[in-house]
């Protein structure tokens, strides 16, 4: 069943992510909506190539995000176990500037659209909402929520997608 934006799902999971993740360089925790540590961001942001790792509470690497160095358009990759899992880039031929495509290695495509720089956007698969990214639920400054709506969706992957599209939109606007 398709969720309307803002409608809580009985299976939704909400995670609080600090803004400007690439500018930090320190480790910090992404917490769930109950304040528990859900993922550790290992701040490898100071490397020459933009990179960071998303780890579980036991510090096992779940996801690695990298900015692709040699590509015609700004592109980021999400890796799992040193294998590319997804490639993210701005959607071509889109009238909307804030429209990104996530191409998974199995051929699946996710669509990301909304007000990326305002942290108000959605991640969808074939028109079905997987996750909403928003600040409207929060009072904490410099934080946004990733609300994973679909029960079988991978929270680590969707958090990584959110981080990547925000970073790509900031780079496009010249916010290095």
């Amino acid at each position: 069943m398709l969720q309307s934006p803002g409608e809580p799902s009985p299976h939704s999971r909400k995670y609080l992510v600090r803004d400007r993740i690439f500018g930090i360089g320190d480790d910090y925790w992404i917490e769930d909506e109950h304040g528990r540590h859900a993922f550790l961001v290992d701040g490898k942001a100071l490397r020459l190539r933009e990179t960071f790792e998303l780890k579980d509470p036991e510090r096992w690497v779940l996801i690695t995000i990298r900015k692709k160095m040699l590509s015609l358009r700004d592109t980021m990759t999400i890796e799992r176990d040193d294998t590319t899992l997804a490639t993210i880039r701005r959607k071509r031929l889109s009238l909307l500037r804030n429209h990104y495509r996530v191409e998974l290695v199995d051929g699946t495509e996710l669509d990301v659209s909304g007000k990326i720089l305002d942290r108000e956007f959605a991640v969808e698969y074939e028109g079905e909402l997987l996750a909403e990214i928003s600040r409207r639920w929060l009072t904490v400054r410099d934080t946004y929520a990733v609300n994973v709506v679909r029960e079988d969706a991978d929270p680590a992957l969707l958090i990584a997608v959110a981080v990547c599209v925000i970073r790509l939109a900031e780079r496009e606007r010249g916010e290095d």
Side-chain angles (χ1 to χ4, degrees):
M1 184 171 104
L2 186 63
Q3 297 289 129
S4 49
E7 180 182 320
S9 163
H11 305 292
S12 68
R13 294 156 286 165
K14 196 178 291 180
Y15 302 92
L16 304 179
V17 182
R18 185 184 303 166
D19 224 344
R20 304 263 180 215
I21 203 166
F22 282 101
I24 295 167
D26 296 326
D27 295 352
Y28 77 91
W29 287 97
I30 293 174
E31 297 177 344
D32 67 14
E33 61 192 310
H34 305 291
R36 294 182 300 240
H37 291 170
F39 301 101
L40 177 67
V41 176
D42 189 345
K44 299 183 182 305
L46 300 178
R47 289 185 181 175
L48 182 61
R49 181 176 171 182
E50 287 182 29
T51 302
F52 88 79
E53 293 175 340
L54 194 60
K55 298 179 177 181
D56 69 11
E58 288 76 37
R59 300 181 187 253
W60 290 99
V61 176
L62 301 172
I63 296 278
T64 303
I65 294 178
R66 299 181 198 279
K67 180 180 181 316
K68 233 176 172 179
M69 294 304 282
L70 301 171
S71 62
L72 295 174
R73 294 186 295 156
D74 260 353
T75 303
M76 296 191 86
T77 60
I78 298 172
E79 300 172 5
R80 182 170 278 149
D81 300 325
D82 294 322
T83 302
T84 299
L85 179 62
T87 303
I88 297 115
R89 60 178 60 94
R90 190 164 66 82
K91 196 170 185 176
R92 282 192 219 188
L93 307 173
S94 173
L95 298 176
L96 302 172
R97 186 171 185 187
N98 292 309
H99 204 159
Y100 290 81
R101 174 177 290 138
V102 180
E103 298 172 22
L104 301 178
V105 291
D106 67 2
T108 302
E109 289 187 4
L110 306 181
D111 197 46
V112 181
S113 61
K115 297 177 180 178
I116 309 293
L117 294 172
D118 292 337
R119 309 318 186 246
E120 298 291 337
F121 58 96
V123 181
E124 298 178 334
Y125 170 66
E126 294 185 352
E128 184 178 350
L129 184 63
L130 298 178
E132 285 186 279
I133 290 72
S134 181
R135 284 188 170 150
R136 74 176 169 266
W137 304 300
L138 305 173
T139 56
V140 179
R141 187 180 159 103
D142 295 332
T143 302
Y144 58 92
V146 176
N147 186 26
V148 179
V149 174
R150 207 165 125 168
E151 184 178 8
D152 62 345
D154 179 349
L157 174 62
L158 291 170
I159 290 168
V161 166
V163 168
C164 286
V165 296
I166 289 168
R167 183 60 180 154
L168 289 170
E170 287 174 344
R171 290 180 62 80
E172 187 175 310
R173 197 168 91 178
E175 294 181 18
D176 275 337

